[in-house]
Amino acid sequence: MRVEEVSYRKSIFSLMVIAMAYLLANFHRQSMAIMAPFLVEKLGISNSQIGLLGAIVFYIYGLTQIPLGFLLAKFGGRKIIQICLVLLIVGSFFFGRAENFTQLLIGRFLIGLAVSGYYVPGLHLIRQWFDLRHLSYYLGIYLAIGNIGSLLSTSPYEFLLKRFSIPSIYWGFIAFTFLLLLASLFLEDEKIVGKKVESKDQDKALPPYFWGFFISLLFYGLSSYGARQAFFSLWGPLYYTDFLGLDMTRASFLMMVMSIGGIIYSPLSGKLADKIGRHKALLIQSLMIAFFWLLLAFLPRTTPYSLVLVLAFVIGALNITTISNAFTSLTDFAPPALASIFVGIFNAFNFFGSALYMQGLGKYFDYKGSNTQTFSTALLMFFISIVAIVLLNSFFYKKMAKAKVDK
């Protein structure tokens, strides 16, 4: 790709616009966790149905990522984001007016289709607009703003749901989405700001051990991102109420604290990853996340609330940032001609994992009950799967990196 100068100021404006679109995606993905009790009260639906409403967004997200990689390579990120904003307006309209489970499911399907087209195109555009040597930093800013959506889906959303009807709230979402659609018409061209680190591997050749690295990374996304989204987007509040015995107001506040952790730490994590290496940051933070899942599995009900708050902040910070390091580690080695396709496949596994974990846990809780034992088992599964897969991925990464250096 040819290196061209574009406006840095306009690129920053464009980054803010696509980050706000990602904010909406995060909100809609995770809003079911807080909205679930209100839907149960209003429509009398079960945990399994709630699990499906949460999971369908992730199933659709996963199914769209591979074709999205091809479409991205052909049409570019701007057009895809604009189309998805239109779809989100339509999906929000249907969901806001839903009066039964079937209508809710149709609305969530459309919303899932819409929000599936923000993150990967956004990552593609950021790679075009900013110097690759500082990619993790700008991606950290993107994640920090996007994670405000996760924050808004917790206590602030509970506040709104207690005071306004769901249709009224969704009309507000529609208006905000429409403003973003207008702003997206003024995004920067898909060029590169300043000097880009050029790649000599512009062809489709794959480095040795790449397939082992890539396949293990797919299962890392399935396990790590699946665990994260299952907890953040749906079952986290239930953990705090049924495992630790907290009330729903405190539970939703803890979910908000998790989001705050991600917002604060994302840019710092980006700086750290650019400095020590993206995959090294992925390894360290993944093992730390696994440790904290293990800690939550055995956390006693007598744990001081202040300590639970600190744990929520740290878990939120670490979980938000590892997946971005996985994406950048992948694009560091994937040939530029195929990068969008590999990223799309990887993101598909992330969201298939999310859907499977969310729906699977819903069925598990319906069968065994949501109690201390069932949550301990689920969190232990999070711990074991993440540690095993990240170590396997690191083995292939070292082999691939060494082979690239020797070459």
Side-chain angles (χ1 to χ4, degrees), residues 206-214 395-397 399-401 403:
L206 297 172
Y209 300 98
F210 177 83
W211 283 112
F213 167 75
F214 179 60
F395 168 79
F396 284 112
Y397 175 84
K399 289 282 189 180
M400 183 176 60

Side-chain angles (χ1 to χ4, degrees), residues 206-231:
L206 297 172
Y209 300 98
F210 177 83
W211 283 112
F213 167 75
F214 179 60
I215 292 171
S216 60
L217 194 66
L218 295 182
F219 284 95
Y220 170 78
L222 189 149
S223 60
S224 180
Y225 200 75
R228 166 197 162 181
Q229 289 295 353
F231 195 90

Side-chain angles (χ1 to χ4, degrees), residues 324-346:
S324 65
N325 290 327
F327 274 105
T328 51
S329 296
L330 175 57
T331 55
D332 283 342
F333 285 91
L338 298 174
S340 295
I341 296 170
F342 281 118
V343 166
I345 296 171
F346 175 56

Side-chain angles (χ1 to χ4, degrees), residues 21 23 32 51 87 100 165 175 207 303 369 398:
L23 179 154
M32 191 55 60
L87 279 174
N100 55 52
S165 67
T303 304
K398 289 178 181 178

Side-chain angles (χ1 to χ4, degrees), residues 154-280:
T154 57
S155 290
Y157 193 37
E158 183 188 25
F159 177 86
L160 289 177
L161 286 167
K162 287 180 177 178
R163 289 160 179 81
F164 302 97
S165 67
I166 291 177
S168 299
I169 294 170
Y170 269 76
W171 275 117
F173 294 153
I174 289 170
F176 182 72
T177 308
F178 181 74
L179 290 176
L180 277 184
L181 178 61
L182 293 179
S184 72
L185 301 176
F186 303 96
L187 293 180
E188 180 59 272
D189 292 337
E190 296 184 35
K191 301 173 183 176
I192 299 170
V193 176
K195 297 180 179 180
K196 179 189 175 185
V197 178
E198 296 285 0
S199 171
K200 297 180 181 179
D201 302 317
Q202 294 294 329
D203 57 18
K204 297 184 179 182
L206 297 172
Y209 300 98
F210 177 83
W211 283 112
F213 167 75
F214 179 60
I215 292 171
S216 60
L217 194 66
L218 295 182
F219 284 95
Y220 170 78
L222 189 149
S223 60
S224 180
Y225 200 75
R228 166 197 162 181
Q229 289 295 353
F231 195 90
F232 282 36
S233 300
L234 196 55
W235 302 118
L238 196 64
Y239 167 83
Y240 288 121
T241 56
D242 290 15
F243 188 96
L244 291 183
L246 302 175
D247 58 64
M248 189 59 190
T249 300
R250 284 192 168 191
S252 62
F253 182 72
L254 287 165
M255 301 306 294
M256 184 175 71
V257 169
M258 285 186 168
S259 299
I260 293 171
I263 293 168
I264 293 174
Y265 186 59
S266 289
L268 300 176
S269 175
K271 283 282 190 183
L272 178 66
D274 285 332
K275 185 174 181 179
I276 70 172
R278 290 154 188 167
H279 193 271
K280 186 176 181 180

Side-chain angles (χ1 to χ4, degrees), residues 31-43 45-47 50-51 53 157 161 233-235 248:
S31 61
M32 191 55 60
I34 298 301
M35 190 162 41
F38 294 89
L39 294 176
V40 169
E41 181 180 352
K42 179 181 178 182
L43 301 176
I45 55 182
S46 67
N47 278 338
I50 288 293
L53 286 174
Y157 193 37
L161 286 167
S233 300
L234 196 55
W235 302 118
M248 189 59 190

Side-chain angles (χ1 to χ4, degrees), residues 51-189:
L52 181 57
L53 286 174
I56 191 171
V57 169
F58 295 88
Y59 280 127
I60 296 301
Y61 209 120
L63 287 169
T64 58
Q65 294 312 293
I66 296 175
L68 182 64
F70 289 96
L71 292 172
L72 184 58
K74 184 174 183 179
F75 297 108
R78 292 196 306 171
K79 289 182 180 178
I80 291 174
I81 288 175
Q82 288 163 353
I83 291 170
C84 288
L85 286 169
V86 173
L87 279 174
L88 185 56
I89 291 172
V90 176
S92 298
F93 175 79
F94 275 95
F95 189 86
R97 291 168 56 88
E99 296 181 354
N100 55 52
F101 175 71
T102 300
Q103 292 173 359
L104 287 172
L105 197 61
I106 293 171
R108 286 288 287 178
F109 173 87
L110 292 171
I111 288 172
L113 195 60
V115 301
S116 66
Y118 297 138
Y119 183 79
V120 173
L123 177 61
H124 168 80
L125 290 170
I126 292 169
R127 288 180 65 86
Q128 302 300 312
W129 294 332
F130 300 102
D131 193 319
L132 294 188
R133 291 167 294 189
H134 308 294
L135 175 63
S136 294
Y137 173 66
Y138 289 107
L139 185 57
I141 295 174
Y142 178 62
L143 290 174
I145 295 172
N147 199 46
I148 294 173
S150 302
L151 184 152
L152 294 174
S153 72
T154 57
S155 290
Y157 193 37
E158 183 188 25
F159 177 86
L160 289 177
L161 286 167
K162 287 180 177 178
R163 289 160 179 81
F164 302 97
S165 67
I166 291 177
S168 299
I169 294 170
Y170 269 76
W171 275 117
F173 294 153
I174 289 170
F176 182 72
T177 308
F178 181 74
L179 290 176
L180 277 184
L181 178 61
L182 293 179
S184 72
L185 301 176
F186 303 96
L187 293 180
E188 180 59 272
D189 292 337

